[in-house]
Amino acid sequence: DVKVTQSSRYLVKRTGEKVFLECVQDMDHENMFWYRQDPGLGLRLIYFSYDVKMKEKGDIPEGYSVSREKKERFSLILESASTNQTSMYLCASSWGVNEQFFGPGTRLTVL
Amino acid sequence: GNSVTQMEGPVTLSEEAFLTINCTYTATGYPSLFWYVQYPGEGLQLLLKATKADDKGSNKGFEATYRKETTSFHLEKGSVQVSDSAVYFCALEIPGAGSYQLTFGKGTKLSVIP
């Protein structure tokens, strides 16, 4: 069974903390994505990567960075968390032009 | 740019009712179209897709037809069940654009009551 896993289901952090969200896929997919999901706004793409050490900005990259050192792992980094980054974060992976497989999400609260 | 517009929810239906969730799109090029579903507490999963005009995607009793003339991809099901309660997202992708990005609609929450 294909799988995308995320390091935490729920996370609570304080303003100004550095936050790491980890995503791992076991499908040998080339492409990986980070989205945030907010009520009334749907899913918005933060960053994506189509190869190891490659990254591309999505629609809302400000305040975020990413790292992809290995093919199966894609990390989202909040350098200095702020309250407006409280959200549900979803990771996904895909191979070429095919469906994206999603992880269960991490609900991040920044106090 | 590319965009997807879905009917706003929430939608509440009784069990065995007919479901339609409208989706229209704007795209440069010839998109592939998708419906994703998100059950409570879970990530998104692909429900169905269509890659060219007049294609019909179907899965689990749900159907959607790619209508190029009306730029639409409406989701339908003849008889909904309580287990269909979820959030439904319409999305598009432009093949060959090189970025493999999906553009999502805002989602429509469906609640089915017994």
Side-chain angles (χ1 to χ4, degrees):
Chain A
D1 215 13
V2 297
K3 209 156 203 173
V4 178
T5 56
Q6 296 183 228
S7 50
S8 305
R9 293 300 300 268
Y10 300 92
L11 207 53
V12 179
K13 295 292 183 181
R14 297 214 171 268
T15 302
E17 281 192 79
K18 191 169 187 176
V19 182
F20 292 87
L21 302 182
E22 304 285 340
C23 175
V24 178
Q25 51 95 2
D26 65 359
M27 295 165 280
D28 202 34
H29 284 167
E30 298 169 339
N31 308 315
M32 296 188 74
F33 307 83
W34 274 107
Y35 297 89
R36 64 176 283 175
Q37 182 179 11
D38 300 288
L41 297 177
L43 272 73
R44 293 179 291 167
L45 182 65
I46 305 171
Y47 268 97
F48 66 99
S49 167
Y50 52 87
D51 202 352
V52 176
K53 296 192 185 296
M54 306 299 289
K55 61 184 179 184
E56 295 283 345
K57 292 180 180 179
D59 300 319
I60 52 164
E62 295 80 17
Y64 303 94
S65 62
V66 290
S67 172
R68 193 163 180 205
E69 297 296 319
K70 294 184 177 182
K71 191 175 186 179
E72 67 271 17
R73 188 179 297 269
F74 192 36
S75 302
L76 180 69
I77 304 156
L78 288 64
E79 295 288 344
S80 178
S82 63
T83 55
N84 64 11
Q85 292 178 309
T86 292
S87 186
M88 171 70 86
Y89 290 88
L90 292 169
C91 175
S93 71
S94 74
W95 183 84
V97 183
N98 284 298
E99 70 173 283
Q100 291 186 16
F101 291 86
F102 283 80
T106 296
R107 185 167 294 281
L108 172 66
T109 301
V110 182
L111 301 175
Chain B
N2 302 322
S3 66
V4 175
T5 302
Q6 290 181 235
M7 63 185 286
E8 290 191 21
V11 174
T12 302
L13 294 174
S14 297
E15 209 165 19
E16 299 184 2
F18 184 85
L19 169 70
T20 300
I21 300 178
N22 290 336
C23 171
T24 58
Y25 66 89
T26 302
T28 54
Y30 301 96
S32 294
L33 301 173
F34 305 82
W35 277 101
Y36 280 80
V37 59
Q38 185 180 31
Y39 298 104
E42 298 182 13
L44 278 71
Q45 57 185 274
L46 181 68
L47 181 59
L48 53 85
K49 68 179 182 182
T51 57
K52 61 183 188 297
D54 300 325
D55 267 4
K56 178 186 281 188
S58 61
N59 186 24
K60 299 183 181 180
F62 291 88
E63 292 183 341
T65 301
Y66 189 141
R67 301 285 188 201
K68 186 180 174 184
E69 63 276 11
T70 55
T71 62
S72 64
F73 193 53
H74 304 321
L75 182 68
E76 296 182 336
K77 187 175 186 183
S79 176
V80 293
Q81 305 301 312
V82 171
S83 57
D84 294 325
S85 298
V87 181
Y88 293 82
F89 292 91
C90 186
L92 68 82
E93 182 178 41
I94 306 294
S99 65
Y100 315 116
Q101 290 186 61
L102 285 171
T103 299
F104 284 91
K106 293 183 179 181
T108 303
K109 184 175 182 180
L110 170 67
S111 297
V112 181
I113 54 177

